[in-house]
């Protein structure tokens, strides 16, 4: 079976057999490997790719197991695989001589990196192989929640939570703030005639093993219509078969569910997409079930209603814009909003403000209680080189609602907030893509890329806070720290993070590096020993998980300017499988095996250099920049990539070498101030005025004061805090039409709103009145402020 001179696997250059191609073509399920490998030409096992060796070893072992063959004869592929696993030659050897150039070990032979075998891609998950590009953004910003000692800005009419105090439970306070922001976004961004946007809370337990069980059951429930026999949250492991309830129990649960739809969900009182586990679990307990149900049947009806509410919330948390992908976390199917506990304005001092009044006492950060809020977009599709007007329109809506309704602090170098851009591809991210992208960011960061964001977001400002949110990959990643002659930053990785390929693999990686990088790039790499270690180690990793671990920080409290959230065995992203029991055990031990796992099938790269912002033009310019840089790393050929570096190193501009939309270059060109420093708002420094430290409403929008007229009339008490309803509320709900005087003129709200008000207010009847003054800052607080 060995190839002869006429075989397509016999090299045309006369150099013998193409063993890589020949061995890949054999159907190992139909032949005994002993017969195939018994050929006169010795097979150079040490020169074959590791992916082929793994596939051959698995195939040969499978044949032996199926046909009862085994010891004493072992497949040479298995022996070679064992040999490679035992070898641990560090790539640091060639770097020991600080005068040695990488070009001395890079040969002129080119050998493209082989793609991984099928088994590394998890075929059973039916991962799509289309070319669709996906993007997501995460907005992070500090919101003033309440004044601690009188309102320092009484003329600012935007919302404060006056009912919250320092003694309020922090978790309850965050829950209320997030709920009100969610209500404002859901109500004020969804304009008639446009595709509705879905804003939902994040599941707080999404990194736990229990969460995996819950989502699995919800997906099963969506298919069957029925939930598991037991409550996962209460009892841990559900039974496989769903419970089928009696007709009267089912009808009672369905009636209760329909009642909630009519009077709560469809009325706008509480959007379906805001439902969480606490709401689904607690709501059925407030119902009075029909007398025809005994106690056991009533409990069954409550359980059935809980399952229906869980499923309703699960399905409702899907924005029509999201790109459906296998294995996607549910929160990436909608816009999610949550509070991110952290330092907030802890590092802010008086000198961060141009006019802070010392008579106030203390520091500005203590004048308010702040919460760091995050708004995360769903996974969105974007076309390479497009202006992405649909994404920009939605982003502008979000920024408008937030800046119009809430007091959001302007960005400072002492505020640890970032605008994060996540880019991926429906077919996934490969190891070679990561190597190309990180080389671009490393070699061009200081000269070009750092200039596209606030000057304090790069290492040259000596901002000690930068490593916590956007550290330089050449210094603050694990590999970057090891590359320095004194690699001792606290909390970073150790030398075990270095790749340990075989000598043959090292040579192959160097060949690939030489294929992509021109000789002119070698001078940049060899200028310092730290660069030689960093870049040559970067190109010698053999699987994406090891690469991501080395180029990350390993700590939730620290991040670099570019984070690789790509995991898998081999050269392509793919799931690292953990059993539910392993996840649950890791949770009990305090280990997070899912740390930085955003999309286990495809992986994402996260750009973090941009400061916290609600400026849609700035965010879109940076988003389109990140998409194009990632696409160039993904789609450029070796020749295109090499030409890029040759031209960039001789001084050509970054924007002239990639396919950026015209608006990106125009935006950055128009926002460069003195000394070519980028400033989206014209500020040359990092200080702001304490007189007005908040972001202004977009386009001059301000909260408007209206008089709300209720029909039927609402009867307030003399002190203005108690109301009654006429006619009386029935079953805790009643419908009131709400009119505005003067009529609404804003395009984002209709002239007439219909709400269904709850009866938690007093029912004491006093002098009738049909007019109630209300300050309309967000739709969500219309009934809590002044009624």
């Amino acid at each position: 079976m060995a190839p002869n001179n006429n075989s397509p696997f016999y090299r045309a250059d006369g150099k013998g057999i193409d063993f890589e191609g020949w061995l890949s073509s054999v159907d190992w399920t139909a032949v005994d490997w002993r017969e195939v490998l018994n050929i006169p030409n010795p097979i150079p096992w040490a020169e074959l790719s590791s992916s082929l060796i793994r596939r051959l070893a698995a195939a040969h072992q499978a044949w032996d197991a199926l046909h009862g063959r085994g010891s004493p004869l072992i497949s040479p592929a298995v022996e070679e695989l064992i040999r490679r696993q035992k070898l641990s030659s560090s790539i640091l050897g060639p770097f020991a001589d600080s005068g040695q150039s990488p070009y001395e070990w890079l040969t002129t032979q080119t050998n493209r990196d082989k793609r991984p075998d099928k088994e590394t891609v998890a075929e059973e998950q039916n991962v799509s192989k289309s070319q669709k590009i996906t993007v997501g953004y995460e907005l992070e910003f500090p919101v003033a929640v309440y004044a601690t000692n009188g309102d320092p800005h009484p003329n600012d009419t935007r919302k404060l939570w006056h009912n919250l105090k320092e003694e309020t439970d922090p978790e309850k306070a965050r829950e209320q703030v997030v709920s009100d922001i969610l209500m404002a976004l859901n109500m004020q961004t969804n304009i008639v005639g446009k595709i509705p946007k879905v804003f939902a809370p994040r599941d707080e337990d999404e990194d736990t093993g229990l969460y995996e069980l819950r989502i699995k059951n919800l997906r099963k429930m969506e298919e069957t219509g029925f939930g598991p026999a037991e409550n996962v949250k209460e009892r841990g492991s559900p039974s496989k078969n769903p419970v089928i309830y009696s007709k009267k129990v089912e009808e009672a649960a369905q009636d209760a569910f329909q009642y909630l739809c009519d009077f709560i969900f469809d009325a706008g009182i509480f959007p379906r997409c805001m439902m969480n586990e606490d709401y689904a679990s607690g709501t059925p307990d407030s119902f009075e079930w029909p007398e025809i149900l005994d106690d056991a049947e009533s409990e069954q009806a409550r359980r059935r209603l809980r399952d229906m509410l869980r499923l309703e919330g699960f399905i409702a948390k899907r924005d029509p814009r999201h790109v459906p992908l296998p294995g996607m976390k549910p929160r990436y199917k909608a816009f999610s909003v949550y509070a991110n506990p952290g330092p907030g304005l802890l590092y802010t001092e008086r000198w961060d403000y141009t006019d802070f009044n010392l008579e106030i006492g203390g520091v500005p950060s203590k004048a308010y209680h702040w919460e760091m809020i995050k708004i995360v977009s769903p996974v969105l599709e974007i076309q390479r080189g497009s202006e992405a007007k649909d994404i920009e329109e939605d982003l502008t809506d979000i920024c408008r609602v937030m800046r119009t309704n809430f007091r959001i602090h302007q960005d400072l170098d002492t505020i640890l907030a970032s605008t994060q851009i996540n880019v991926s591809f429906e077919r996934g991210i490969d190891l070679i893509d990561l190597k190309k992208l990180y080389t671009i960011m490393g070699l061009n960061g200081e000269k070009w890329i750092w200039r596209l964001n606030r000057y304090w977001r790069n290492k040259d400002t000596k901002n000690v806070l930068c490593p916590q949110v956007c550290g330089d990959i050449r210094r603050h990643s694990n590999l970057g720290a090891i590359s320095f002659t004194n690699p001792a930053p606290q909390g970073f990785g150790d030398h075990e993070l270095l790749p340990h390929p075989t000598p043959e693999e090292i040579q192959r990686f160097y060949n690939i590096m030489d294929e992509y990088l021109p000789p002119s790039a070698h001078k940049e790499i060899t200028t310092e020993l730290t660069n030689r270690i960093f870049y040559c180690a970067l190109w010698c990793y053999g699987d994406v998980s090891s690469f991501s671990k080395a180029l990350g920080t390993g700590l939730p409290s620290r991040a670099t300017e570019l984070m690789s959230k790509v995991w898998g065995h081999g050269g392509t992203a793919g799931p690292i499988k953990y059993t539910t029991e392993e996840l649950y055990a890791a949770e009990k031990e305090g280990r997070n095996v899912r740390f930085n796992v955003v999309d286990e099938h495809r992986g994402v790269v996260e750009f973090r250099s941009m400061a916290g912002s609600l400026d849609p033009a700035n965010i879109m310019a940076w988003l389109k920049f990140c998409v194009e840089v990632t696409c160039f790393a993904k789609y450029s050929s070796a020749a295109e990539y090499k030409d890029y570096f040759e031209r960039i190193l001789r001084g050509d501009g970054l924007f002239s070498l990639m396919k950026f939309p015209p608006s990106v270059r125009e935006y950055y060109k128009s926002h460069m101030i003195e000394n070519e420093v980028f400033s989206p708002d014209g500020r040359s420094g990092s200080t702001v005025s304490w007189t007005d430290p908040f972001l202004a409403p977009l386009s001059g929008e301000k909260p408007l004061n209206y008089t709300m007229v209720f029909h039927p009339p609402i009867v307030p008490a003399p002190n203005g805090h108690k109301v009654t309803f006429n006619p009386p509320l029935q079953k805790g709900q009643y419908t009131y039409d709400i009119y505005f005087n003067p009529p609404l003129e804003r395009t984002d709200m209709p002239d007439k709103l219909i709400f269904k008000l709850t009866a938690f207010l007093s029912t004491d009847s006093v002098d009738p009145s049909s007019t109630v003054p209300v300050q309309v800052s967000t739709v969500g607080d219309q009934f809590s402020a002044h009624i």
Side-chain angles (χ1 to χ4, degrees), residues 268 567 637:
W567 304 94
S637 65

Side-chain angles (χ1 to χ4, degrees), residues 112 115 130-133 384 423-434 436-437 440 516 571-573 602 627-637 640-641:
R112 290 296 299 271
R115 290 295 186 234
S130 77
Q131 296 293 321
K132 190 174 292 184
I133 306 165
R384 184 181 183 184
V423 185
S424 189
F425 306 88
E426 197 173 12
R427 66 177 291 269
I429 297 176
D430 297 339
L431 179 59
I432 189 66
D433 306 334
L434 293 173
K436 291 162 67 179
L437 178 60
I440 291 173
Y516 282 94
T572 296
R602 310 172 311 135
V627 169
E628 173 53 29
V629 170
T630 311
C631 285
F632 182 79
K634 177 74 174 176
Y635 297 126
S636 60
S637 65
E640 290 171 332
Y641 191 84

Side-chain angles (χ1 to χ4, degrees), residues 215-423:
I215 296 303
K216 181 179 180 180
N217 284 321
L218 285 168
R219 288 176 177 147
K220 182 177 180 181
M221 197 189 311
E222 187 175 5
E223 296 175 1
T224 65
F226 290 90
E230 296 181 1
N231 186 325
V232 178
K233 187 173 182 180
E234 297 171 357
R235 298 178 176 86
S237 179
S239 62
K240 295 182 179 180
N241 299 318
V243 170
I244 306 300
Y245 299 99
S246 67
K247 181 179 179 181
K248 61 180 179 179
V249 167
E250 182 68 24
E251 288 179 348
Q254 292 286 352
D255 288 345
F257 179 75
Q258 190 60 48
Y259 178 82
L260 290 172
C261 289
D262 291 342
F263 290 96
I264 299 294
F265 306 141
D266 295 337
I269 292 297
F270 190 77
R272 289 171 169 82
C273 59
M274 289 176 58
M275 259 195 287
N276 56 21
E277 178 62 23
D278 290 339
Y279 184 94
S281 298
T283 300
D285 294 333
S286 64
F287 276 85
E288 295 183 5
W289 299 96
E291 295 181 358
I292 59 172
L293 301 181
D294 58 28
D295 291 344
E297 291 171 329
S298 295
E299 180 55 37
Q300 291 177 357
R302 292 188 186 93
R303 182 179 297 176
R304 174 63 174 143
L305 179 58
R306 288 189 188 102
D307 285 343
M308 295 168 70
L309 291 175
R310 290 184 180 116
L311 179 58
E312 187 74 5
F314 180 65
I315 295 174
K317 295 174 184 176
R318 296 173 189 170
D319 191 281
R321 298 159 186 76
H322 89 274
V323 178
L325 296 166
M328 178 191 292
K329 286 185 178 180
R331 75 176 171 106
Y332 292 113
K333 299 180 180 181
F335 292 91
S336 60
V337 181
Y338 61 95
N340 191 22
L345 270 67
L346 176 64
Y347 303 113
T348 305
E349 297 289 349
R350 293 187 182 93
W351 45 82
D352 290 310
Y353 302 87
T354 58
D355 56 353
F356 182 69
N357 187 354
L358 295 178
E359 295 179 359
I360 295 177
V363 293
S365 60
K366 300 296 184 181
Y368 292 95
H369 174 79
W370 304 88
E371 287 293 348
M372 193 69 78
I373 298 298
K374 291 198 74 168
I375 300 178
V376 182
S377 77
V379 176
L380 305 168
E381 182 179 3
I382 189 170
Q383 301 296 324
R384 184 181 183 184
S386 75
E387 295 291 356
K389 290 296 184 182
D390 52 341
I391 295 177
E392 183 174 9
E393 184 176 321
D394 293 336
L395 175 63
T396 302
D397 274 349
I398 293 172
C399 295
R400 173 183 55 79
V401 171
M402 295 307 302
R403 293 174 62 159
T404 301
N405 293 289
F406 305 100
R407 302 186 191 184
I408 299 168
H409 204 292
Q410 298 182 58
D411 58 320
L412 296 171
D413 61 354
T414 51
I415 296 179
L416 299 183
S418 297
T419 300
Q420 300 161 30
I421 306 299
N422 299 290
V423 185

Side-chain angles (χ1 to χ4, degrees), residues 708 710 712-726 761-773 786-787:
M708 303 180 71
F710 292 79
I714 289 181
V715 184
N719 60 14
H721 294 298
K722 297 181 180 180
V723 300
T724 189
F725 298 87
N726 185 15
L761 302 173
S762 171
T763 57
D764 297 335
S765 179
V766 290
D767 296 334
S769 172
S770 61
T771 301
V772 181
H786 299 291
I787 293 179

Side-chain angles (χ1 to χ4, degrees), residues 610-687:
M610 185 176 179
S613 174
L614 286 175
D615 179 345
N618 187 9
I619 297 169
M620 285 304 301
W622 179 241
L623 180 146
K624 287 180 278 190
F625 175 88
C626 297
V627 169
E628 173 53 29
V629 170
T630 311
C631 285
F632 182 79
K634 177 74 174 176
Y635 297 126
S636 60
S637 65
E640 290 171 332
Y641 191 84
K642 180 178 287 188
D643 179 66
Y644 160 80
F645 268 105
E646 286 179 341
R647 294 170 63 186
I648 200 78
L649 292 173
R650 68 172 181 245
D652 290 1
L654 180 68
F655 287 109
S656 65
L657 302 179
M658 296 185 189
K659 300 176 182 179
F660 295 104
S663 62
V664 176
R665 183 173 184 175
E666 293 168 4
Y667 176 83
Y668 283 111
K669 183 178 179 180
S670 64
H671 286 82
M672 292 293 176
I673 56 177
E674 64 267 19
N675 300 321
E676 291 299 299
V677 173
F678 170 75
S679 177
D681 53 12
R683 282 192 287 152
S684 58
S686 63
T687 58

